[in-house]
Amino acid sequence: MSARKKVAILISGRGSNMAALIQAAAERDYPAEIAVVISDNPDATGLKLAASKGIASGVVERKNFQSKAAHDEAIDQAVRSAGAELIALAGYMRLLSRSFVEKWQGRMINIHPSLLPLFKGLVPHRQALAAGVRVHGASVHFVTPDMDDGPIIAQAAVPVLVGDSEAELTARVLKAEHQLYPVALRMLAEGKVRMEGDRTQFVSVNDTSAGMIAAPSPADDVLDLQHLARITP
Ligand code: GRF
């Protein structure tokens, strides 16, 4: 296999998506390795988890910098000094500055718990319940300067069951996120997707369901990973 791509993960909190990526990257044939985890929050529980897996980590707190630009510059330095070539945002709760985003354009991805472009921003599950949608999910997308707005790489759909509470729906989507994110990062690390303007270009992908996973029936929480697994060069 060609060299594994080095990835930096940015977190602010719990780090369950980070953990899913670390677990995936522990597989010998995974095309990426987690070079470093950076948090803007010293109390992020994800930091302990990263340490327990032997992953290098660092804290870059906003309060130690005079401007957002200086904070983002320090994050950029931390990511580069770890040798990272790709960035995966995993519950990183700050909007990154335009100049940071432009530096990493096409090499930085985020996971958002909704079927974008629906329900951007905060409390997407509450928004989904309020809208009365019957299908909800998660998206992995390239990061652009606007929040939750970049080209979509992969999505996972889950049912919204009658009577779902916000907590139940959140848990169902989170489970899907943990399946989706490693697959999307694999696609990027293998060069099977790239960002071209405001679209994702699928390179050498001959499966029309590339980047899509969906619950086969409303009774299934999640999901049939076979679609994504079938992608071939
Ligand atoms: C996830 O739902 C992610 O999609 C969103 O923030 C949450 C972070 O959770 N961006 P975790 O820190 O990965 O557990």
Side-chain angles (χ1 to χ4, degrees), residues 85-163:
E85 304 148 271
L86 302 173
I87 297 178
L89 305 182
Y92 185 70
M93 296 307 285
R94 290 175 189 278
L95 194 59
L96 290 156
S97 57
R98 178 173 289 271
S99 76
F100 184 96
V101 171
E102 281 170 358
K103 269 187 254 180
W104 287 93
Q105 189 125 298
R107 296 181 298 143
M108 177 161 59
I109 59 178
N110 180 45
I111 187 157
H112 180 72
S114 78
L115 291 175
L116 290 172
L118 290 172
F119 315 136
K120 294 176 180 177
L122 295 175
V123 294
H125 309 302
R126 198 174 304 166
Q127 294 184 58
L129 288 171
V133 293
R134 311 306 307 142
V135 177
H136 185 41
S139 306
V140 177
H141 63 93
F142 285 110
V143 176
T144 55
D146 291 326
M147 189 172 52
D148 304 328
D149 198 53
I152 292 163
I153 297 169
Q155 293 186 304
V158 305
V160 181
L161 302 181
V162 173

Side-chain angles (χ1 to χ4, degrees), residues 11-18 89-93 110-113 125 138 170 173-174 177-178:
I11 64 168
S12 296
R14 180 178 53 191
S16 70
N17 279 288
M18 173 208 76
L89 305 182
Y92 185 70
M93 296 307 285
N110 180 45
I111 187 157
H112 180 72
H125 309 302
T170 301
V173 173
L174 192 64
E177 290 182 55
H178 297 161

Side-chain angles (χ1 to χ4, degrees), residues 17-95:
N17 279 288
M18 173 208 76
L21 294 178
I22 290 173
Q23 192 184 332
E27 297 297 323
R28 258 214 328 232
D29 69 343
Y30 197 75
E33 65 182 275
I34 309 307
V36 71
V37 170
I38 308 277
S39 174
D40 64 328
N41 169 15
D43 301 322
T45 51
L47 285 169
K48 291 197 193 77
L49 208 70
S52 76
K53 300 286 177 192
I55 306 285
S57 63
V59 177
V60 186
E61 278 187 87
R62 174 66 181 87
K63 72 173 167 62
N64 295 335
F65 298 89
Q66 285 202 333
S67 64
K68 180 181 189 58
H71 182 226
D72 285 358
E73 180 57 34
I75 291 172
D76 185 64
Q77 284 305 324
V79 167
R80 283 177 203 275
S81 60
E85 304 148 271
L86 302 173
I87 297 178
L89 305 182
Y92 185 70
M93 296 307 285
R94 290 175 189 278
L95 194 59

Side-chain angles (χ1 to χ4, degrees), residues 149-220:
D149 198 53
I152 292 163
I153 297 169
Q155 293 186 304
V158 305
V160 181
L161 302 181
V162 173
D164 262 349
S165 66
E166 189 177 341
E168 286 165 333
L169 185 56
T170 301
R172 190 175 306 120
V173 173
L174 192 64
K175 197 167 152 193
E177 290 182 55
H178 297 161
Q179 294 182 272
L180 182 69
Y181 212 180
V183 178
L185 179 62
R186 171 188 281 279
M187 292 167 80
L188 180 64
E190 287 178 342
K192 293 208 167 127
V193 286
R194 63 170 182 256
M195 183 174 156
E196 283 186 8
D198 61 1
R199 300 288 295 178
T200 295
Q201 194 65 40
F202 290 79
V203 185
S204 309
V205 173
N206 59 13
D207 186 334
T208 51
S209 64
M212 182 269 283
I213 49 183
S217 85
D220 288 309

